Amino acid sequence: MIIDTHCHLNDEELYKDYKNVVKRAKEAGITTLFVVGWDYESSKQAIEIAESDENIFAIVGYHPCNIEGVSDEEFDKTMSLLDHPKVVALGEIGLDYYWVKETEKRECQKRFFIRQINEANKHNLPISIHCRDAIDDCLRVLKENHVNKGGVMHCYSGGPEYMNEFLKVGMYISLGGPVTFKNAKAPKEVAIKVPFDKLLVETDSPYLAPHPLRGSVNEPANTLLVVQEIARLRNVSEEEVAEQTTKNAKRLFNI
Ligand code: NI
């Protein structure tokens, strides 16, 4: 049993054939999937997909690149989705300074991030964090705004020093396709050094297909390649990685 803790079956690329995508995942031993939203529509769709299969769950919220022009009314509508029984976390939320360069817009991302952390606390849910080129600010926000139920650094790309800081503020570390890339020094080091009970696996599909499929449309079945590479790096069996990361995901997301 393996849990893909972050995939986007609600992305057009996967949604058009999602029943078969799920079937292939199950055949590969990926028994449980978390479908992640990035705005109201995609969050609603994540829930609809979760309703179609008892082993699919939803994560709903606003990605930092999708917050512009969101009215209070729409925000509240999205947050009301958090009460749905198949929703296991609020996400993906956070900071993205790769796509957003203007200071004012980055400040706006921070305020929105904190606003969603408050909602997660109100709803007793963990969070799923997207952090790109913004690691210091992301850490600062988490230090200043306690997340009661913890969360996960989705597709964590920082090094082991920052990893320790994120662990201190209650975060788990999730690794995806990049850990399999030949030149990916940081994720490989993190895979070895992360406490085994804080490690999660994911695909972030349809993005970030692992080696040797890099560049193709990613899908949850490929979580297996991530598990295999982590097992190789830690010098443990594939089954141990599968079992431990599943246990961790169940603990964090309370399923
Ligand atoms: Ni994502």
Side-chain angles (χ1 to χ4, degrees):
M1 182 183 183
I2 293 169
I3 302 184
D4 181 353
T5 60
H6 193 115
C7 67
H8 300 287
L9 293 182
N10 46 355
D11 182 290
E12 186 52 38
E13 195 74 60
L14 294 179
Y15 187 71
K16 56 189 181 200
D17 192 30
Y18 93 85
K19 297 259 176 192
N20 281 319
V21 170
V22 172
K23 197 167 153 241
R24 285 195 292 273
K26 291 191 175 175
E27 282 162 5
I30 322 304
T31 50
T32 306
L33 311 178
F34 295 171
V35 179
V36 185
W38 56 87
D39 61 5
Y40 174 71
E41 287 301 330
S42 58
S43 293
K44 218 173 115 218
Q45 204 180 0
I47 291 175
E48 280 161 19
I49 295 169
E51 283 172 335
S52 75
D53 187 309
E54 63 168 335
N55 293 315
I56 300 180
F57 297 87
I59 295 179
V60 311
Y62 288 93
H63 185 288
C65 293
N66 298 87
I67 59 176
E68 250 183 87
V70 174
S71 66
D72 287 350
E73 196 189 353
E74 194 204 310
F75 181 81
D76 291 343
K77 206 164 68 163
T78 306
M79 294 304 121
S80 72
L81 298 175
L82 293 169
D83 297 323
H84 190 283
K86 294 302 288 282
V87 172
V88 293
L90 201 160
E92 52 184 297
I93 66 176
L95 304 173
D96 192 317
Y97 292 176
Y98 178 82
W99 291 110
V100 174
K101 310 280 183 205
E102 303 92 325
T103 311
E104 198 172 309
K105 285 188 178 172
R106 288 179 172 184
E107 287 304 315
C108 191
Q109 285 192 358
K110 275 189 232 169
R111 285 196 298 273
F112 218 94
F113 186 16
I114 295 166
R115 191 177 175 193
Q116 293 192 96
I117 289 174
N118 293 335
E119 290 289 333
N121 287 341
K122 218 173 6 178
H123 289 84
N124 270 316
L125 287 170
I127 58 177
S128 176
I129 297 179
H130 170 101
C131 171
R132 190 165 184 197
D133 290 358
I135 201 158
D136 285 301
D137 278 1
C138 192
L139 185 57
R140 199 170 305 126
V141 166
L142 292 171
K143 279 183 176 165
E144 290 168 4
N145 300 273
H146 182 68
V147 190
N148 297 341
K149 295 288 173 183
V152 53
M153 298 306 294
H154 127 68
C155 205
Y156 179 69
S157 58
E161 293 79 21
Y162 277 105
M163 175 191 81
N164 286 327
E165 296 298 310
F166 285 112
L167 290 170
K168 275 189 217 159
V169 291
M171 295 299 122
Y172 283 59
I173 301 295
S174 181
L175 295 174
V179 76
T180 68
F181 297 169
K182 288 237 149 64
N183 302 323
K185 199 172 156 271
K188 288 190 197 295
E189 216 182 322
V190 166
I192 294 165
K193 291 188 174 160
V194 63
F196 213 8
D197 65 344
K198 296 293 176 189
L199 175 64
L200 303 175
V201 287
E202 63 167 89
T203 55
D204 199 19
S205 49
Y207 312 106
L208 296 171
H211 174 80
L213 307 169
R214 197 169 176 181
S216 66
V217 175
N218 198 8
E219 59 176 72
N222 299 332
T223 316
L224 188 58
L225 293 167
V226 175
V227 167
Q228 285 168 343
E229 177 63 5
I230 293 171
R232 189 187 70 80
L233 290 163
R234 292 184 76 102
N235 203 17
V236 295
S237 71
E238 224 177 281
E239 290 71 28
E240 278 173 89
V241 175
E243 199 179 307
Q244 186 64 53
T245 54
T246 296
K247 219 197 265 183
N248 299 342
K250 286 184 171 177
R251 187 190 317 117
L252 175 62
F253 297 100
N254 198 25
I255 58 164

